[in-house]
Amino acid sequence: QKEVEQNSGPLSVPEGAIASLNCTYSDRGSQSFFWYRQYSGKSPELIMFIYSNGDKEDGRFTAQLNKASQYVSLLIRDSQPSDSATYLCAGGNNNDMRFGAGTRLTVKP
Amino acid sequence: SAVISQKPSRDICQRGTSLTIQCQVDSQVTMMFWYRQQPGQSLTLIATANQGSEATYESGFVIDKFPISRPNLTFSTLTVSNMSPEDSSIYLCSVEVGPQPTQYFGPGTRLLVL
């Protein structure tokens, strides 16, 4: 069974802190990994994708991929209350993408 | 990326009736997907809809309950048939675009079955 697992949280961090979201996956053949942000009542919005081992930075967001450990993470620097949402991790290949259950993040002012 | 619209955005339906949800994309895409997301839960894939072929359903979902059409590369419909309160959920369509398999989601259809 191909699975993507996340800690459901909730994760609470103070404003300005670094939020660290983690994800593991079971399928070693997975090549592509994504982080989506989902605000309450809204649909998932793609915020980061990563295909290669290492770090990928985009503004306040850094995605980290370690294929040997089958581990993906998302760091949010200088967290803002507007970052409060559920973050979904996804991984897989063409036509076979698996989503984690999501981690609920709350950034407290 | 892709711009995706869904109709209706929300609906309240009676038990035993059917509802057809439409998904429209602003560009031609090969892969379209239909998901269900129940309150507080993650996404559950219902089926993959390819143009010109039968939809591929995930375990636990059947064509009689969730018939899907994919008449062209920009449009798909999902019908929720013979609805029961357990079908109350958000239904999302997504498309896969780009050289890497990146999925983008529509705004969703919020369904309440009484």
Side-chain angles (χ1 to χ4, degrees), chain B residues 45-70:
Chain B
L45 180 63
I46 298 172
T48 301
N50 297 333
Q51 194 269 335
S53 64
E54 294 286 332
T56 302
Y57 289 83
E58 295 296 301
S59 174
F61 297 96
V62 295
I63 188 171
D64 289 346
K65 175 67 175 177
F66 297 100
I68 288 171
S69 78
R70 183 77 201 275

PDB file of all heavy atoms in Angstrom, chain B residues 45-70:
ATOM      1  N   LEU B  45      -9.374  10.033  -3.384  1.00  0.00           N
ATOM      2  CA  LEU B  45      -9.541   9.979  -4.833  1.00  0.00           C
ATOM      3  C   LEU B  45     -10.705   9.065  -5.178  1.00  0.00           C
ATOM      4  O   LEU B  45     -10.747   7.912  -4.735  1.00  0.00           O
ATOM      5  CB  LEU B  45      -8.252   9.468  -5.485  1.00  0.00           C
ATOM      6  CG  LEU B  45      -8.254   9.359  -7.007  1.00  0.00           C
ATOM      7  CD1 LEU B  45      -8.430  10.745  -7.650  1.00  0.00           C
ATOM      8  CD2 LEU B  45      -6.967   8.697  -7.505  1.00  0.00           C
ATOM      9  N   ILE B  46     -11.643   9.600  -5.959  1.00  0.00           N
ATOM     10  CA  ILE B  46     -12.774   8.794  -6.424  1.00  0.00           C
ATOM     11  C   ILE B  46     -12.393   8.077  -7.716  1.00  0.00           C
ATOM     12  O   ILE B  46     -12.554   6.867  -7.839  1.00  0.00           O
ATOM     13  CB  ILE B  46     -14.010   9.688  -6.663  1.00  0.00           C
ATOM     14  CG1 ILE B  46     -14.459  10.351  -5.367  1.00  0.00           C
ATOM     15  CG2 ILE B  46     -15.138   8.888  -7.309  1.00  0.00           C
ATOM     16  CD1 ILE B  46     -15.543  11.404  -5.562  1.00  0.00           C
ATOM     17  N   ALA B  47     -11.913   8.868  -8.689  1.00  0.00           N
ATOM     18  CA  ALA B  47     -11.612   8.282 -10.000  1.00  0.00           C
ATOM     19  C   ALA B  47     -10.735   9.222 -10.797  1.00  0.00           C
ATOM     20  O   ALA B  47     -10.655  10.415 -10.534  1.00  0.00           O
ATOM     21  CB  ALA B  47     -12.904   7.997 -10.767  1.00  0.00           C
ATOM     22  N   THR B  48     -10.096   8.630 -11.788  1.00  0.00           N
ATOM     23  CA  THR B  48      -9.303   9.369 -12.770  1.00  0.00           C
ATOM     24  C   THR B  48     -10.071   9.354 -14.084  1.00  0.00           C
ATOM     25  O   THR B  48     -10.523   8.281 -14.525  1.00  0.00           O
ATOM     26  CB  THR B  48      -7.942   8.690 -12.966  1.00  0.00           C
ATOM     27  OG1 THR B  48      -7.266   8.657 -11.712  1.00  0.00           O
ATOM     28  CG2 THR B  48      -7.103   9.453 -13.976  1.00  0.00           C
ATOM     29  N   ALA B  49     -10.210  10.528 -14.682  1.00  0.00           N
ATOM     30  CA  ALA B  49     -11.011  10.654 -15.905  1.00  0.00           C
ATOM     31  C   ALA B  49     -10.112  11.040 -17.064  1.00  0.00           C
ATOM     32  O   ALA B  49      -9.541  12.125 -17.086  1.00  0.00           O
ATOM     33  CB  ALA B  49     -12.100  11.708 -15.717  1.00  0.00           C
ATOM     34  N   ASN B  50      -9.967  10.145 -18.023  1.00  0.00           N
ATOM     35  CA  ASN B  50      -9.192  10.403 -19.223  1.00  0.00           C
ATOM     36  C   ASN B  50     -10.134  10.585 -20.397  1.00  0.00           C
ATOM     37  O   ASN B  50     -11.130   9.873 -20.517  1.00  0.00           O
ATOM     38  CB  ASN B  50      -8.244   9.242 -19.526  1.00  0.00           C
ATOM     39  CG  ASN B  50      -7.233   9.055 -18.424  1.00  0.00           C
ATOM     40  OD1 ASN B  50      -6.898   9.991 -17.733  1.00  0.00           O
ATOM     41  ND2 ASN B  50      -6.757   7.841 -18.264  1.00  0.00           N
ATOM     42  N   GLN B  51      -9.818  11.523 -21.257  1.00  0.00           N
ATOM     43  CA  GLN B  51     -10.649  11.770 -22.421  1.00  0.00           C
ATOM     44  C   GLN B  51     -10.588  10.586 -23.373  1.00  0.00           C
ATOM     45  O   GLN B  51      -9.507  10.081 -23.674  1.00  0.00           O
ATOM     46  CB  GLN B  51     -10.206  13.054 -23.129  1.00  0.00           C
ATOM     47  CG  GLN B  51     -11.204  13.571 -24.150  1.00  0.00           C
ATOM     48  CD  GLN B  51     -10.969  13.038 -25.542  1.00  0.00           C
ATOM     49  OE1 GLN B  51      -9.867  12.662 -25.872  1.00  0.00           O
ATOM     50  NE2 GLN B  51     -12.002  12.990 -26.347  1.00  0.00           N
ATOM     51  N   GLY B  52     -11.758  10.130 -23.785  1.00  0.00           N
ATOM     52  CA  GLY B  52     -11.819   9.057 -24.770  1.00  0.00           C
ATOM     53  C   GLY B  52     -11.767   7.661 -24.200  1.00  0.00           C
ATOM     54  O   GLY B  52     -11.737   6.687 -24.964  1.00  0.00           O
ATOM     55  N   SER B  53     -11.756   7.536 -22.890  1.00  0.00           N
ATOM     56  CA  SER B  53     -11.752   6.198 -22.293  1.00  0.00           C
ATOM     57  C   SER B  53     -12.595   6.201 -21.030  1.00  0.00           C
ATOM     58  O   SER B  53     -12.968   7.261 -20.522  1.00  0.00           O
ATOM     59  CB  SER B  53     -10.328   5.741 -21.996  1.00  0.00           C
ATOM     60  OG  SER B  53      -9.745   6.576 -21.023  1.00  0.00           O
ATOM     61  N   GLU B  54     -12.883   5.021 -20.540  1.00  0.00           N
ATOM     62  CA  GLU B  54     -13.659   4.902 -19.304  1.00  0.00           C
ATOM     63  C   GLU B  54     -12.842   5.439 -18.119  1.00  0.00           C
ATOM     64  O   GLU B  54     -11.625   5.283 -18.076  1.00  0.00           O
ATOM     65  CB  GLU B  54     -14.008   3.448 -19.044  1.00  0.00           C
ATOM     66  CG  GLU B  54     -14.951   2.831 -20.073  1.00  0.00           C
ATOM     67  CD  GLU B  54     -16.375   3.316 -19.898  1.00  0.00           C
ATOM     68  OE1 GLU B  54     -16.756   3.669 -18.769  1.00  0.00           O
ATOM     69  OE2 GLU B  54     -17.096   3.380 -20.908  1.00  0.00           O
ATOM     70  N   ALA B  55     -13.541   6.015 -17.176  1.00  0.00           N
ATOM     71  CA  ALA B  55     -12.868   6.478 -15.965  1.00  0.00           C
ATOM     72  C   ALA B  55     -12.354   5.277 -15.171  1.00  0.00           C
ATOM     73  O   ALA B  55     -12.919   4.185 -15.226  1.00  0.00           O
ATOM     74  CB  ALA B  55     -13.824   7.306 -15.113  1.00  0.00           C
ATOM     75  N   THR B  56     -11.270   5.508 -14.457  1.00  0.00           N
ATOM     76  CA  THR B  56     -10.689   4.475 -13.595  1.00  0.00           C
ATOM     77  C   THR B  56     -11.046   4.798 -12.151  1.00  0.00           C
ATOM     78  O   THR B  56     -10.653   5.842 -11.637  1.00  0.00           O
ATOM     79  CB  THR B  56      -9.161   4.449 -13.759  1.00  0.00           C
ATOM     80  OG1 THR B  56      -8.835   4.217 -15.126  1.00  0.00           O
ATOM     81  CG2 THR B  56      -8.565   3.336 -12.892  1.00  0.00           C
ATOM     82  N   TYR B  57     -11.764   3.890 -11.496  1.00  0.00           N
ATOM     83  CA  TYR B  57     -12.269   4.139 -10.154  1.00  0.00           C
ATOM     84  C   TYR B  57     -11.360   3.517  -9.100  1.00  0.00           C
ATOM     85  O   TYR B  57     -10.815   2.434  -9.288  1.00  0.00           O
ATOM     86  CB  TYR B  57     -13.687   3.574 -10.009  1.00  0.00           C
ATOM     87  CG  TYR B  57     -14.705   4.376 -10.791  1.00  0.00           C
ATOM     88  CD1 TYR B  57     -14.893   4.148 -12.160  1.00  0.00           C
ATOM     89  CD2 TYR B  57     -15.439   5.377 -10.178  1.00  0.00           C
ATOM     90  CE1 TYR B  57     -15.803   4.900 -12.882  1.00  0.00           C
ATOM     91  CE2 TYR B  57     -16.364   6.131 -10.889  1.00  0.00           C
ATOM     92  CZ  TYR B  57     -16.533   5.886 -12.239  1.00  0.00           C
ATOM     93  OH  TYR B  57     -17.431   6.640 -12.954  1.00  0.00           O
ATOM     94  N   GLU B  58     -11.261   4.196  -7.986  1.00  0.00           N
ATOM     95  CA  GLU B  58     -10.494   3.691  -6.842  1.00  0.00           C
ATOM     96  C   GLU B  58     -11.353   2.688  -6.075  1.00  0.00           C
ATOM     97  O   GLU B  58     -12.588   2.650  -6.203  1.00  0.00           O
ATOM     98  CB  GLU B  58     -10.083   4.839  -5.932  1.00  0.00           C
ATOM     99  CG  GLU B  58      -9.134   5.812  -6.586  1.00  0.00           C
ATOM    100  CD  GLU B  58      -7.808   5.182  -6.941  1.00  0.00           C
ATOM    101  OE1 GLU B  58      -7.109   4.670  -6.033  1.00  0.00           O
ATOM    102  OE2 GLU B  58      -7.454   5.191  -8.142  1.00  0.00           O
ATOM    103  N   SER B  59     -10.673   1.912  -5.261  1.00  0.00           N
ATOM    104  CA  SER B  59     -11.368   0.922  -4.442  1.00  0.00           C
ATOM    105  C   SER B  59     -12.412   1.614  -3.570  1.00  0.00           C
ATOM    106  O   SER B  59     -12.138   2.617  -2.927  1.00  0.00           O
ATOM    107  CB  SER B  59     -10.344   0.185  -3.569  1.00  0.00           C
ATOM    108  OG  SER B  59     -10.990  -0.686  -2.678  1.00  0.00           O
ATOM    109  N   GLY B  60     -13.603   1.063  -3.566  1.00  0.00           N
ATOM    110  CA  GLY B  60     -14.683   1.619  -2.764  1.00  0.00           C
ATOM    111  C   GLY B  60     -15.613   2.544  -3.521  1.00  0.00           C
ATOM    112  O   GLY B  60     -16.628   2.982  -2.977  1.00  0.00           O
ATOM    113  N   PHE B  61     -15.255   2.843  -4.758  1.00  0.00           N
ATOM    114  CA  PHE B  61     -16.089   3.718  -5.594  1.00  0.00           C
ATOM    115  C   PHE B  61     -16.461   2.963  -6.867  1.00  0.00           C
ATOM    116  O   PHE B  61     -15.615   2.317  -7.479  1.00  0.00           O
ATOM    117  CB  PHE B  61     -15.342   5.012  -5.939  1.00  0.00           C
ATOM    118  CG  PHE B  61     -15.010   5.850  -4.732  1.00  0.00           C
ATOM    119  CD1 PHE B  61     -13.759   5.752  -4.140  1.00  0.00           C
ATOM    120  CD2 PHE B  61     -15.951   6.717  -4.197  1.00  0.00           C
ATOM    121  CE1 PHE B  61     -13.451   6.521  -3.024  1.00  0.00           C
ATOM    122  CE2 PHE B  61     -15.644   7.490  -3.085  1.00  0.00           C
ATOM    123  CZ  PHE B  61     -14.398   7.385  -2.501  1.00  0.00           C
ATOM    124  N   VAL B  62     -17.739   3.063  -7.258  1.00  0.00           N
ATOM    125  CA  VAL B  62     -18.214   2.332  -8.424  1.00  0.00           C
ATOM    126  C   VAL B  62     -18.908   3.269  -9.397  1.00  0.00           C
ATOM    127  O   VAL B  62     -19.469   4.305  -9.010  1.00  0.00           O
ATOM    128  CB  VAL B  62     -19.164   1.182  -8.022  1.00  0.00           C
ATOM    129  CG1 VAL B  62     -18.411   0.137  -7.209  1.00  0.00           C
ATOM    130  CG2 VAL B  62     -20.357   1.709  -7.247  1.00  0.00           C
ATOM    131  N   ILE B  63     -18.907   2.844 -10.654  1.00  0.00           N
ATOM    132  CA  ILE B  63     -19.447   3.678 -11.725  1.00  0.00           C
ATOM    133  C   ILE B  63     -20.928   3.927 -11.557  1.00  0.00           C
ATOM    134  O   ILE B  63     -21.417   5.008 -11.898  1.00  0.00           O
ATOM    135  CB  ILE B  63     -19.121   3.055 -13.097  1.00  0.00           C
ATOM    136  CG1 ILE B  63     -19.494   4.012 -14.228  1.00  0.00           C
ATOM    137  CG2 ILE B  63     -19.796   1.704 -13.261  1.00  0.00           C
ATOM    138  CD1 ILE B  63     -19.000   3.550 -15.594  1.00  0.00           C
ATOM    139  N   ASP B  64     -21.668   2.959 -11.034  1.00  0.00           N
ATOM    140  CA  ASP B  64     -23.114   3.142 -10.892  1.00  0.00           C
ATOM    141  C   ASP B  64     -23.439   4.265  -9.924  1.00  0.00           C
ATOM    142  O   ASP B  64     -24.446   4.944 -10.069  1.00  0.00           O
ATOM    143  CB  ASP B  64     -23.769   1.850 -10.421  1.00  0.00           C
ATOM    144  CG  ASP B  64     -23.773   0.783 -11.491  1.00  0.00           C
ATOM    145  OD1 ASP B  64     -23.505   1.130 -12.668  1.00  0.00           O
ATOM    146  OD2 ASP B  64     -24.029  -0.392 -11.172  1.00  0.00           O
ATOM    147  N   LYS B  65     -22.605   4.437  -8.918  1.00  0.00           N
ATOM    148  CA  LYS B  65     -22.827   5.457  -7.902  1.00  0.00           C
ATOM    149  C   LYS B  65     -22.238   6.799  -8.341  1.00  0.00           C
ATOM    150  O   LYS B  65     -22.817   7.852  -8.077  1.00  0.00           O
ATOM    151  CB  LYS B  65     -22.174   5.010  -6.593  1.00  0.00           C
ATOM    152  CG  LYS B  65     -22.215   6.024  -5.470  1.00  0.00           C
ATOM    153  CD  LYS B  65     -23.634   6.278  -4.964  1.00  0.00           C
ATOM    154  CE  LYS B  65     -23.603   7.215  -3.753  1.00  0.00           C
ATOM    155  NZ  LYS B  65     -24.981   7.536  -3.290  1.00  0.00           N
ATOM    156  N   PHE B  66     -21.096   6.763  -9.009  1.00  0.00           N
ATOM    157  CA  PHE B  66     -20.378   7.989  -9.395  1.00  0.00           C
ATOM    158  C   PHE B  66     -20.036   7.966 -10.892  1.00  0.00           C
ATOM    159  O   PHE B  66     -18.863   7.953 -11.266  1.00  0.00           O
ATOM    160  CB  PHE B  66     -19.093   8.138  -8.580  1.00  0.00           C
ATOM    161  CG  PHE B  66     -19.305   8.292  -7.104  1.00  0.00           C
ATOM    162  CD1 PHE B  66     -19.139   7.201  -6.248  1.00  0.00           C
ATOM    163  CD2 PHE B  66     -19.663   9.511  -6.559  1.00  0.00           C
ATOM    164  CE1 PHE B  66     -19.328   7.343  -4.878  1.00  0.00           C
ATOM    165  CE2 PHE B  66     -19.857   9.667  -5.191  1.00  0.00           C
ATOM    166  CZ  PHE B  66     -19.689   8.580  -4.353  1.00  0.00           C
ATOM    167  N   PRO B  67     -21.022   7.988 -11.758  1.00  0.00           N
ATOM    168  CA  PRO B  67     -20.695   8.016 -13.192  1.00  0.00           C
ATOM    169  C   PRO B  67     -19.974   9.302 -13.569  1.00  0.00           C
ATOM    170  O   PRO B  67     -20.289  10.385 -13.071  1.00  0.00           O
ATOM    171  CB  PRO B  67     -22.071   7.907 -13.869  1.00  0.00           C
ATOM    172  CG  PRO B  67     -23.071   8.274 -12.825  1.00  0.00           C
ATOM    173  CD  PRO B  67     -22.467   7.942 -11.501  1.00  0.00           C
ATOM    174  N   ILE B  68     -19.003   9.155 -14.446  1.00  0.00           N
ATOM    175  CA  ILE B  68     -18.160  10.270 -14.864  1.00  0.00           C
ATOM    176  C   ILE B  68     -18.186  10.372 -16.378  1.00  0.00           C
ATOM    177  O   ILE B  68     -18.139   9.364 -17.076  1.00  0.00           O
ATOM    178  CB  ILE B  68     -16.709  10.058 -14.375  1.00  0.00           C
ATOM    179  CG1 ILE B  68     -16.621  10.261 -12.855  1.00  0.00           C
ATOM    180  CG2 ILE B  68     -15.733  10.985 -15.093  1.00  0.00           C
ATOM    181  CD1 ILE B  68     -15.277   9.860 -12.268  1.00  0.00           C
ATOM    182  N   SER B  69     -18.251  11.584 -16.867  1.00  0.00           N
ATOM    183  CA  SER B  69     -18.091  11.806 -18.308  1.00  0.00           C
ATOM    184  C   SER B  69     -16.864  12.667 -18.548  1.00  0.00           C
ATOM    185  O   SER B  69     -16.486  13.487 -17.708  1.00  0.00           O
ATOM    186  CB  SER B  69     -19.330  12.478 -18.903  1.00  0.00           C
ATOM    187  OG  SER B  69     -19.341  13.869 -18.601  1.00  0.00           O
ATOM    188  N   ARG B  70     -16.231  12.465 -19.704  1.00  0.00           N
ATOM    189  CA  ARG B  70     -15.053  13.257 -20.092  1.00  0.00           C
ATOM    190  C   ARG B  70     -15.122  13.425 -21.610  1.00  0.00           C
ATOM    191  O   ARG B  70     -14.396  12.796 -22.366  1.00  0.00           O
ATOM    192  CB  ARG B  70     -13.778  12.526 -19.677  1.00  0.00           C
ATOM    193  CG  ARG B  70     -12.516  13.285 -19.969  1.00  0.00           C
ATOM    194  CD  ARG B  70     -12.239  14.391 -18.994  1.00  0.00           C
ATOM    195  NE  ARG B  70     -11.341  15.377 -19.535  1.00  0.00           N
ATOM    196  CZ  ARG B  70     -10.008  15.296 -19.514  1.00  0.00           C
ATOM    197  NH1 ARG B  70      -9.422  14.248 -18.969  1.00  0.00           N
ATOM    198  NH2 ARG B  70      -9.285  16.260 -20.026  1.00  0.00           N
TER     199      ARG B  70
END
